[in-house]
Amino acid sequence: MRNRRVYMSPISPAISQSSTGSKYLEFNLSVNPNIDVVREVFGRVVYSHKTHEKDRELSSAKVSRIRWTNIILTALTFGGIVSNAIWDQRVVLFATIAIGTVTLAFTVFQLSFDPATDAARHRVAAKSLLLIREKYVNLLADIYGGIPDEEIQKRRDDLQEELNEVYEQAPDTSYKAYSRAKTALKVNEELTFSDSELDLFLPKSLRSTYAR
């Protein structure tokens, strides 16, 4: 008996039946190194995107604290000047000078960093990575649909070049942001949906579970 070569697509769909009688589509992955590579890079992109989002949040919070500190120090300085003009007391004068010195020092300190610019750069990087993340999702869907390996490799390489360009322009991330991103993705499950939640947005013919 001659051996026959059997072609296996990356994903083999089948219809299974649950204990309640509902039928649903089930997909089984076959061994495909392209899928492993794309999934690995996709995971890194997800973490990078969320880390830049958390760094943007941290930088924006820092901007807010700085603004409020400036407002408070300016108000105290102005109040001290007015009080000294009214009462003409040395204690008020010395307090006003001290507050004015702190205000000046804080203003000079702000020149050493720019959290507003950092927040803007992290926002741009996060948006770019979100777009690439969705492209990887679409690529995985097409791989599961059985597109040729040549097309997979080309789209994979094109995405890698696009990803490298984003990484070159993106600012450095912090460990604190990475820790928050890890918690957001693993514990809070941000940007993820359960099958039942997704089914609410889709017509019955496209849902993952449906009664026959």
Side-chain angles (χ1 to χ4, degrees):
M1 181 176 179
R2 297 178 57 185
N3 293 328
R4 291 182 300 173
R5 179 176 297 178
V6 179
Y7 171 75
M8 295 184 64
S9 62
I11 289 296
S12 300
I15 297 179
S16 301
Q17 187 168 0
S18 67
S19 57
T20 59
S22 299
K23 294 183 179 181
Y24 58 93
L25 292 177
E26 186 179 75
F27 298 91
N28 296 317
L29 288 173
S30 64
V31 178
N32 189 327
N34 285 315
I35 292 179
D36 292 336
V37 172
V38 173
R39 284 168 58 88
E40 177 72 20
V41 179
F42 170 72
R44 291 199 294 267
V45 171
V46 169
Y47 265 90
S48 296
H49 161 253
K50 183 56 65 174
T51 302
H52 279 288
E53 276 198 342
K54 294 304 177 182
D55 255 322
R56 179 196 61 79
E57 293 175 2
L58 291 171
S59 297
S60 297
K62 188 180 297 183
V63 171
S64 179
R65 290 195 298 270
I66 289 175
R67 287 175 179 173
W68 277 107
T69 301
N70 278 326
I71 290 173
I72 294 172
L73 289 176
T74 301
L76 290 174
T77 302
F78 180 76
I81 294 174
V82 173
S83 298
N84 184 64
I86 295 175
W87 292 305
D88 192 22
Q89 296 183 0
R90 287 184 174 273
V91 175
V92 176
L93 176 61
F94 291 150
T96 302
I97 293 175
I99 295 174
T101 302
V102 172
T103 302
L104 178 61
F106 186 73
T107 301
V108 173
F109 173 72
Q110 292 179 62
L111 299 177
S112 61
F113 62 95
D114 187 1
T117 300
D118 290 341
R121 294 182 64 195
H122 283 297
R123 182 181 297 108
V124 171
K127 288 183 177 180
S128 299
L129 289 170
L130 180 60
L131 176 61
I132 294 177
R133 167 182 170 157
E134 298 307 313
K135 289 182 179 180
Y136 271 105
V137 171
N138 293 332
L139 175 57
L140 283 169
D142 291 340
I143 292 175
Y144 295 167
I147 61 174
D149 286 344
E150 293 78 8
E151 183 177 350
I152 296 174
Q153 293 169 2
K154 182 181 184 305
R155 290 173 60 181
R156 180 196 65 195
D157 294 341
D158 290 343
L159 279 175
Q160 187 62 54
E161 290 182 5
E162 187 176 348
L163 186 59
N164 289 338
E165 291 179 0
V166 173
Y167 283 151
E168 288 179 0
Q169 301 297 325
D172 294 335
T173 55
S174 63
Y175 178 77
K176 184 176 183 179
Y178 175 78
S179 298
R180 291 193 176 188
K182 188 175 182 179
T183 301
L185 292 171
K186 288 191 173 183
V187 179
N188 300 333
E189 296 184 350
E190 294 184 8
L191 288 181
T192 58
F193 303 92
S194 65
D195 288 339
S196 59
E197 289 174 325
L198 290 175
D199 283 344
L200 293 176
F201 307 144
L202 297 170
K204 288 185 178 180
S205 59
L206 296 178
R207 293 178 181 178
S208 60
T209 59
Y210 55 91
R212 287 283 185 175

